[in-house]
Amino acid sequence: MTRIAGMAGNRGRNLLNVADRSPGGAELAVVLTNTPDAPVLEAAAERGIPTEVVPLTEDMSRSEHEEAVIEALSAYEFDLVCLDGYMRILSDTFLEETPPTLNVHPSLLPSFPGMDAWGDALEAGVSVTGCTVHLVTDATDDDGEVVESEIDGGPIVTQEPIPIYEGDDADSLKERVLYEGEFRAYPRAVKWFAEGTLEVDEEAGEVTVDADVADEEGGLPARRIGPSDRLDTLRYGENPHQDAAVYADYTCEEASVVHADQLNEGAKALSYNNYNDADGALNLIKEFDEPAAAVIKHTNPAGCATADTLAEAYEKALSTDPMSAFGGIVSLNRECDAETADLITDSFKEVVVAPGYTDDALEVLCAKDNLRVLDVGDLEGASERFTEKPIVGGRLVQERDDQSIDVNDLEVVTEREPTDDELESMVFAWQTLKHVKSNGILFTKGTETVGIGMGQVSRVDAVRLAAMKADEHAEGKDAEGAVMASDAFFPFPDGIEEAAKAGIEAVVQPGGSVNDDDVIAAADEHGMAMAFTGQRSFRHD
């Protein structure tokens, strides 16, 4: 356990925040101040933290005061010193007798190193400031005089950016730097010390943080900063009572709906839900090299297909569930031609997303009132390794699900081998299923969907839903003879039994259930072929 000697000048809010959060299991061994009536003393006592007061009198030299502080701290065991508004200038008299000492400065050093960092930032007219946690080093010369250029000049451990908003004054900026900046950065630095991921080379004056590195081989960084600027204020969020805006990362080079050109001037702007659905639609059709089309509704595919031509792919995708496709988002992975445009405008759609349009296609699409037409440009490449989901109190971050399989990745586990057509359908189904909300079940024939069961809390219910969609909502196709894909293993044979009732003849699923043998036996009993992928494809967002 890392023990901290905290030294506060007044309220000690950073120290108390560290005490309350105990980052990395670190605890305050003592809180010391030079002011007998400092509020931090009472707050520390309420938390059961020992306190010390070492007054700084006018007749005391800096070294004499530091020696008195060392004497007061000698009764405690500690591994780290944390300053909070206390003696930002220390000499080797103190520093050579104690463990590493941290301080936090309310700016992004080396910018605005003075005592009025907030006012200096506002006066300079910058749009971003923040705070810096750094190691404290000697800022005095051999005669004990302060060297101004050395103040707050120790190696930087971590920084936290904070935006400056129009209308900010020194007080409002100071509060935000403290509560949104320092309250994040200081505990982070303490946590790194406590967990042993931070190394200090005092001779070289360098700090190395292993935990704060994410390379291309894998690993997640210890902190994540999202660069984004408000692109537009939206009419509302998911519902009319929610305010909303879209923010843009201007360093993103990957095709995206955020940076897409809306080609039909005069049509209403994209809504929050349009952006969300269009993003899902675009991500789905990026999966395929062949001409592909998808129709998305509420971020779920209502249909998806690949074919020799874009128009054929769209027809097959739409026919999966034309009723649900009403008011949906269409995504294409080829330049939209006039034939495809005519098919799209045959029923109500909200948005079309494609990497380009012919002039004839644009003439057709733009004649449709309030059909938003987005040109996302080249679909090649992916620029962002991670995806994230905000949750109350933080955010979840993970690597993107870029898994891709081919026929050679499939492990056949049943007595009957899949046909070549079934194997092709399994691969198509698996790439599409990644974009269906869990629990997700997909029925496919060839490279087109025929029934989709999504978002169910029971896998067998997802099978029933896919069967119902295929038999009642699909046009010109049904579940008979189809391939079924499941985004996770079947925990019991009941899902296979339901699939058999629908006419399913082959199954692709991850495998890995304790009941795999029973599930395989059920498939064998019905003459089904089954293959395992060995990897799951959950999607919960």
Side-chain angles (χ1 to χ4, degrees):
M1 180 184 67
T2 295
R3 293 153 299 186
I4 301 170
M7 297 166 61
N10 189 24
R11 296 184 180 278
R13 288 180 289 188
N14 272 307
L15 292 182
L16 297 175
N17 181 47
V18 167
D20 292 341
R21 292 174 56 177
S22 188
E27 294 183 358
L28 282 167
V30 59
V31 168
L32 182 146
T33 181
N34 57 11
T35 307
D37 58 354
V40 70
L41 295 172
E42 181 179 351
E46 290 174 352
R47 291 165 172 79
I49 303 170
T51 61
E52 296 284 343
V53 178
V54 179
L56 176 60
T57 60
E58 292 185 1
D59 59 344
M60 258 187 172
S61 68
R62 185 181 306 278
S63 61
E64 287 173 338
H65 178 70
E66 292 179 5
E67 289 170 356
V69 170
I70 293 170
E71 176 64 25
L73 294 178
S74 64
Y76 305 91
E77 293 185 2
F78 54 96
D79 312 291
L80 180 67
V81 178
C82 290
L83 306 185
D84 188 4
Y86 185 98
M87 297 289 290
R88 52 196 289 261
I89 301 169
L90 292 170
S91 73
D92 282 341
T93 301
F94 178 86
L95 297 173
E96 290 182 353
E97 298 296 323
T98 59
T101 298
L102 293 179
N103 193 21
V104 61
H105 183 78
S107 77
L108 298 176
L109 292 172
S111 299
F112 316 123
M115 293 295 290
D116 184 20
W118 314 282
D120 292 343
L122 290 169
E123 185 177 348
V126 297
S127 60
V128 177
T129 185
C131 68
T132 303
V133 180
H134 63 92
L135 283 173
V136 179
T137 52
D138 190 350
T140 64
D141 61 19
D142 293 339
D143 297 323
E145 298 298 320
V146 174
V147 180
E148 292 291 335
S149 61
E150 297 294 324
I151 300 174
D152 296 327
I156 291 172
V157 176
T158 188
Q159 295 182 305
E160 188 72 22
I162 296 295
I164 298 178
Y165 299 135
E166 185 176 349
D168 265 334
D169 58 22
D171 288 337
S172 64
L173 183 57
K174 178 180 178 180
E175 287 292 294
R176 201 160 60 254
V177 169
L178 171 63
Y179 290 110
E180 298 180 21
E182 295 178 13
F183 272 25
R184 292 180 190 143
Y186 220 149
R188 178 193 305 141
V190 171
K191 181 174 184 286
W192 288 344
F193 266 102
E195 294 180 345
T197 57
L198 186 151
E199 295 183 6
V200 177
D201 185 338
E202 295 190 12
E203 289 189 7
E206 295 178 352
V207 173
T208 303
V209 184
D210 292 337
D212 206 28
V213 176
D215 57 37
E216 292 302 319
E217 301 301 318
L220 293 167
R223 61 197 172 117
R224 182 166 169 80
I225 299 170
S228 59
D229 300 282
R230 191 177 67 197
L231 177 68
D232 197 9
T233 300
L234 305 177
R235 299 194 305 276
Y236 51 81
E238 283 186 281
N239 301 290
H241 62 274
Q242 295 170 270
D243 291 338
V246 57
Y247 288 77
D249 175 3
Y250 290 102
T251 66
C252 177
E253 297 180 357
E254 182 178 353
S256 74
V257 295
V258 172
H259 297 293
D261 293 325
Q262 185 168 331
L263 302 183
N264 50 338
E265 296 182 8
K268 61 184 178 181
L270 295 179
S271 70
Y272 180 100
N273 292 330
N274 290 156
Y275 272 111
N276 198 31
D277 289 346
D279 177 65
L282 177 59
N283 288 331
L284 172 52
I285 52 92
K286 286 178 181 178
E287 296 282 351
F288 305 106
D289 295 326
E290 304 82 3
V295 182
I296 297 288
K297 191 75 172 289
H298 303 314
T299 72
N300 271 306
C304 180
T306 66
D308 293 335
T309 68
L310 198 63
E312 183 183 358
Y314 174 74
E315 280 189 301
K316 290 181 175 181
L318 179 67
S319 64
T320 302
D321 192 354
M323 181 178 71
S324 295
F326 183 85
I329 309 289
V330 174
S331 59
L332 313 168
N333 71 348
R334 294 286 194 279
E335 180 184 66
C336 181
D337 53 32
E339 182 182 2
T340 307
D342 282 329
L343 294 170
I344 291 171
T345 56
D346 220 22
S347 61
F348 172 58
K349 302 295 187 303
E350 290 269 9
V351 181
V352 181
V353 181
Y357 302 83
T358 66
D359 291 341
D360 290 343
L362 275 180
E363 185 176 348
V364 171
L365 295 171
C366 291
K368 198 77 171 177
D369 288 344
N370 285 325
L371 171 65
R372 275 64 59 85
V373 181
L374 301 185
D375 184 347
V376 296
D378 188 358
L379 298 183
E380 292 297 321
S383 61
E384 179 56 80
R385 282 181 58 199
F386 304 114
T387 63
E388 63 182 62
K389 172 183 173 61
I391 57 176
V392 176
R395 63 184 67 181
L396 298 172
V397 178
Q398 65 175 345
E399 291 185 315
R400 290 171 72 163
D401 184 4
D402 59 359
Q403 63 171 303
S404 180
I405 66 169
D406 60 32
V407 169
N408 296 323
D409 296 317
L410 298 174
E411 177 193 0
V412 178
V413 294
T414 48
E415 295 173 359
R416 182 171 83 77
E417 292 274 342
T419 66
D420 289 344
D421 287 344
E422 287 171 341
L423 289 170
E424 179 188 29
S425 193
M426 286 178 178
V427 171
F428 167 79
W430 193 254
Q431 297 307 118
T432 305
L433 187 60
K434 288 166 50 178
H435 303 270
V436 176
K437 286 186 181 178
S438 301
N439 286 321
I441 293 289
L442 196 71
F443 291 179
T444 61
K445 288 183 178 179
T447 57
E448 62 179 296
T449 53
V450 299
I452 305 173
M454 73 288 283
Q456 302 303 298
V457 294
S458 162
R459 189 158 301 279
V460 71
D461 284 344
V463 176
R464 293 187 183 111
L465 177 58
M468 183 273 287
K469 287 285 188 180
D471 292 335
E472 297 181 19
H473 293 177
E475 290 186 349
K477 51 190 176 184
D478 54 36
E480 190 68 38
V483 168
M484 176 175 71
S486 173
D487 64 0
F489 61 64
F490 287 96
F492 304 105
D494 53 1
I496 303 301
E497 299 293 342
E498 288 295 327
K501 293 177 186 177
I504 294 298
E505 294 186 358
V507 179
V508 60
Q509 58 131 324
S513 168
V514 294
N515 292 322
D516 272 350
D517 289 344
D518 294 339
V519 173
I520 294 169
D524 284 334
E525 182 180 343
H526 291 286
M528 292 181 184
M530 181 181 290
F532 286 177
T533 64
Q535 55 191 0
R536 196 175 67 189
S537 189
F538 270 163
R539 176 173 169 249
H540 287 166
D541 292 336

